């Protein structure tokens, strides 16, 4: 039987991921308004988004070391406070029409999201050990659920012409309240471990990992699927507004549809993984994503493109977590393998926004998405690398 403290702790972890989802979608749904308020081009907006990618990468790379030294609670607390503060900074930057301030806010936001995600996953894995029940898949489902709710609120604010800076200020207040409620349930000293003595014996494991052909194929899958997810998070509202002629509110609604499809895919993913296995799920996900992207890019019907976004979202929902799970049991030294594949995935988040922005500025956002389509299509053929087991652990994480 699960005791009360563990139940409160599990609920708190769900709330932290839910908080991050609300914060993320609140920013994304207001990107057309903020872009217009800043008066920047599509390429310049890509550089603004580069701040988010740099911050995310920095957070991911630093968080593991901080968790090992201080534990999950202070890292989760610090990361979440960065998210809350950065949402307010982005709002101020929008109000002042300051692209550098919005970029700085996004960098801090990415740092908070990236570092907090690692800490919450470590804590979630410990809860799984204590309860013997899956937690991590639902954690990421809660993030997607938060993006749906935050996206609906953003769509309503856009439709009502509610100023983006006041909207983001309200989001900062709500997320601060969630943080204050949840942080007390997270125990101290989880994840702390003594630093291993320096030795030369650890050096050979790194090139060994890099030489593993299967692991590199898994990394390529993560690269493709992370690019599909990141492209939607960064550009989907603008893609529907600029590429298909929708209004800002309708563009936000399409993003909500994408987030809802991601939520459905993540909450139902464990069933399909257990029934059909990782390779089949990755292949089906890549096909779904490719079909959705193809219709969004090449269909001149805004209605068809909007419906196709649902296939895009379903396809992108499981690629990253399933590939990370495959990397973890692809051979010895699980930590090095997962770290390598996760880093490859975050390269997509780092390089994708400015690259797509540059291409979109020169050729249009719809043609720019052909690059994403090409990567996702290759994942269809690389899917067998995610096997060969027909059953995977429930504790799949992003």
């Amino acid at each position: 039987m699960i005791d009360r403290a563990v139940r409160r702790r599990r609920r708190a972890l769900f709330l932290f991921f839910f908080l991050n989802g609300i914060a993320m979608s609140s920013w994304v749904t207001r990107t057309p308004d903020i872009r217009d308020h800043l008066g920047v081009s599509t390429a310049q907006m890509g550089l603004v988004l580069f701040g988010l990618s740099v911050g995310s990468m920095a957070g991911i790379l630093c968080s593991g070391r901080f968790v090992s030294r201080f534990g999950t609670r202070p890292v989760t607390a610090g990361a979440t406070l960065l998210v809350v503060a950065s949402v307010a900074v982005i709002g101020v930057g929008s109000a002042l029409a300051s692209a550098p301030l919005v970029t700085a806010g996004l960098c801090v936001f990415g740092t908070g999201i990236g570092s907090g995600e690692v800490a919450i996953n470590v804590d979630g894995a410990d809860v799984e050990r204590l309860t013997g029940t899956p937690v991590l898949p639902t954690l990421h489902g809660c993030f997607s659920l938060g993006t749906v709710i935050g996206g609906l609120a953003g769509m309503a604010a856009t439709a009502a012409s509610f100023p983006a800076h006041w909207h983001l200020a309200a989001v900062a207040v709500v997320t601060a309240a969630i943080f204050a409620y949840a942080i007390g349930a997270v125990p101290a000293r989880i994840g702390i471990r003594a630093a291993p003595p320096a030795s030369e014996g650890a050096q050979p494991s790194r090139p060994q990992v890099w030489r593993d052909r299967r692991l590199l194929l898994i990394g390529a899958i993560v690269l493709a699927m992370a690019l599909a997810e990141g492209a939607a998070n960064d550009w989907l509202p603008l893609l529907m507004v600029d590429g298909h002629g929708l209004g800002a509110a309708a563009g936000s609604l399409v993003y909500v549809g994408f987030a809802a499809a991601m939520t459905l895919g993540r909450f139902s993913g464990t069933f399909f993984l257990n029934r059909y296995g990782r390779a089949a799920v990755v292949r089906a996900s890549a096909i779904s994503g490719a079909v959705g992207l193809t219709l969004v890019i090449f269909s001149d019907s805004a209605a068809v493109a909007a419906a196709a976004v649902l296939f895009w979202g379903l396809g992108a929902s499981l690629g990253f977590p399933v590939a990370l799970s495959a990397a973890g049991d692809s051979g010895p030294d699980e930590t090095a393998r997962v770290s390598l594949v996760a880093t490859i995935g975050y390269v997509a988040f780092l390089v994708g926004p400015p690259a797509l922005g540059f291409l979109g500025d020169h050729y249009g956002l719809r043609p720019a998405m052909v690059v994403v389509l090409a990567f996702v299509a290759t994942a269809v053929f690389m899917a067998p690398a995610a096997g060969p087991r027909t059953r995977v652990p429930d504790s799949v994480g992003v």
Side-chain angles (χ1 to χ4, degrees):
M1 184 176 178
I2 303 174
D3 64 35
R4 183 178 178 182
V6 174
R7 286 198 301 270
R8 288 185 63 244
R9 178 182 174 191
R10 182 173 58 185
R11 184 167 60 248
L13 298 180
F14 292 158
L15 285 173
F16 280 121
F17 257 74
F18 180 74
L19 179 159
N20 286 342
I22 288 178
M24 176 66 76
S25 61
S26 297
W27 145 253
V28 170
T29 53
R30 302 314 298 265
T31 49
D33 290 331
I34 293 175
R35 188 270 308 267
D36 293 342
H37 204 159
L38 294 178
V40 297
S41 67
T42 302
Q44 290 170 327
M45 193 63 184
L47 293 177
V48 171
L49 291 169
F50 189 69
L52 177 62
S53 301
V54 170
S56 298
M57 179 67 80
I60 286 290
L61 294 178
C62 296
S63 183
R65 183 174 299 176
F66 289 154
V67 168
S68 297
R69 183 171 181 179
F70 303 110
T72 58
R73 180 174 178 173
V75 176
T76 299
T80 306
L81 288 174
L82 287 179
V83 170
V84 172
S86 64
V87 170
V89 171
I90 294 168
V92 172
S94 175
L96 298 177
S98 171
L101 189 56
V102 171
T103 303
L106 284 172
C107 185
V108 175
F109 181 83
T111 303
I113 290 285
S115 56
E117 180 176 297
V118 173
I120 299 169
N121 274 307
V122 171
D123 217 305
D126 187 64
V127 172
E128 284 189 334
R129 180 185 61 81
L130 292 174
T131 63
T133 58
V135 172
L136 293 178
T138 309
L139 278 180
H140 299 287
C142 286
F143 175 86
S144 297
L145 180 61
T147 64
V148 173
I149 294 175
L152 287 171
M155 179 191 67
T158 301
S161 298
F162 190 70
H165 55 278
W166 288 119
H167 173 206
L168 294 178
V171 171
V173 172
V174 170
T175 52
I178 295 174
F179 164 76
Y181 171 80
I183 190 61
V186 180
R189 304 193 64 78
I190 300 298
I192 295 178
R193 63 177 185 270
S199 66
E200 295 298 322
Q203 295 290 338
S205 63
R206 185 173 297 273
Q208 185 71 32
V209 168
W210 275 99
R211 287 201 297 265
D212 189 321
R213 179 176 177 273
R214 182 192 170 204
L215 186 63
L216 293 179
L217 288 174
I218 294 172
I221 294 171
V222 165
L223 178 64
M225 304 310 284
L227 183 60
E229 180 181 350
N233 286 334
D234 290 330
W235 292 110
L236 185 53
L238 287 175
L239 174 63
M240 300 307 297
V241 170
D242 295 350
H244 288 283
L246 296 182
S252 297
L253 178 60
V254 171
Y255 174 75
V256 170
F258 174 86
M262 289 277 291
T263 303
L264 176 63
R266 283 177 168 166
F267 276 119
S268 63
T270 298
F271 169 80
F272 291 103
L273 287 166
N274 286 332
R275 188 175 181 87
Y276 300 108
R278 287 188 306 230
V281 168
V282 169
R283 183 181 295 109
S285 296
I287 291 173
S288 176
V291 169
L293 279 161
T294 298
L295 292 174
V296 170
I297 294 167
F298 297 108
S299 174
D300 290 325
S301 168
V304 171
V309 165
L310 300 178
F311 291 96
W312 183 354
L314 284 172
S317 64
L318 290 174
F320 200 114
V322 174
L324 283 182
S325 177
D329 65 9
S330 63
D333 199 351
E334 175 183 353
T335 300
R337 289 172 179 273
V338 172
S339 296
L340 172 61
V341 171
T343 300
I344 292 173
Y346 277 94
V347 166
F349 290 117
L350 179 66
V351 176
L356 292 174
F358 176 82
L359 292 173
D361 199 47
H362 286 77
Y363 305 104
L365 279 174
R366 282 170 63 181
M369 292 295 158
V370 172
V371 175
V372 183
L373 173 60
F375 274 93
V376 173
T378 61
V380 176
F381 303 99
M382 293 183 290
R389 294 192 305 171
T390 57
R391 181 179 177 88
V392 299
D394 288 328
S395 56
V396 180
V398 174

